[in-house]
Amino acid sequence: NIALHQPTAIRVFEHLGIDYCCGGNQALADACAARKLDIRAVLVALEFAAERPALPTPDWSLASLELLCAHIIVKHHAFARRELPRLLELADNMLARHGAAHPELAAIQTTLQQLDYDLAEHQAKEEGVLFPYIVSLERSLTDPDEDPVSCFGFLPDPVALLSRDHKDTIAQLAQLRQLSHHFTAPIGVCLTYRIFYT
């Protein structure tokens, strides 16, 4: 119940090895005792996870393009690299346990796999080609000795190509939303299923 009503608790439970799913139908005190954890420390960790204040957001319209590119890599690309493997593992588990009763899980798993593959390829293009070019271009505006070097090779319009990638990703996310009925878990499924959709 804690994991369901406080999604930030999921990471705390995973870190501490507390089962919050099918084997987690017990009081928090009992789960802590089984893992030899101090319940007071666990409660503090749960409170901290729930109440952590959001960091102030910079005004990106005033930031350099170099800083903006770095932010995209560190925040958004890293998030996708961290979360997609977790979602794929949950998708595998859900399909194995509930696939017979919920055939949409196979399509969700396939779409997630394609999304993971496509985003990895897209992020590599941005980090290896587009962002270095943008940084080089920006530097050339302030340093006359800096010449932006096009590393796009034979690609006639790399921005259009990468924009198409974005449209494909939006379509994949829309498909996941549709397949999962707007991430609404079916009635009566286990907690992990509901957390997967959350």
Side-chain angles (χ1 to χ4, degrees), residues 118-136:
D118 291 350
L119 277 179
E121 189 177 83
H122 177 80
Q123 289 173 348
K125 291 177 204 170
E126 285 184 341
E127 292 175 21
V129 179
L130 181 63
F131 291 172
Y133 179 70
I134 289 172
V135 170
S136 172

Side-chain angles (χ1 to χ4, degrees), residues 39-56:
I39 189 168
R40 291 169 298 186
V42 173
L43 288 171
V44 167
L46 291 171
E47 287 174 18
F48 178 76
E51 297 173 2
R52 214 163 95 193
L55 297 173

Side-chain angles (χ1 to χ4, degrees), residues 20-98:
Y20 57 84
C21 184
C22 300
N25 191 18
Q26 59 182 318
L28 182 60
D30 295 338
C32 290
R35 302 276 309 150
K36 297 183 176 27
L37 298 169
D38 181 346
I39 189 168
R40 291 169 298 186
V42 173
L43 288 171
V44 167
L46 291 171
E47 287 174 18
F48 178 76
E51 297 173 2
R52 214 163 95 193
L55 297 173
T57 305
D59 182 352
W60 292 111
S61 67
L62 302 175
S64 70
L65 295 176
E66 183 172 9
L67 183 60
L68 182 59
C69 290
H71 171 74
I72 290 168
I73 293 168
V74 169
K75 182 162 177 80
H76 301 291
H77 288 194
F79 176 82
R81 287 186 181 111
R82 184 177 64 245
E83 293 303 312
L84 279 167
R86 285 185 71 238
L87 285 172
L88 287 167
E89 186 176 339
L90 283 169
D92 291 345
N93 291 339
M94 293 305 95
L95 184 60
R97 291 181 187 169
H98 304 282

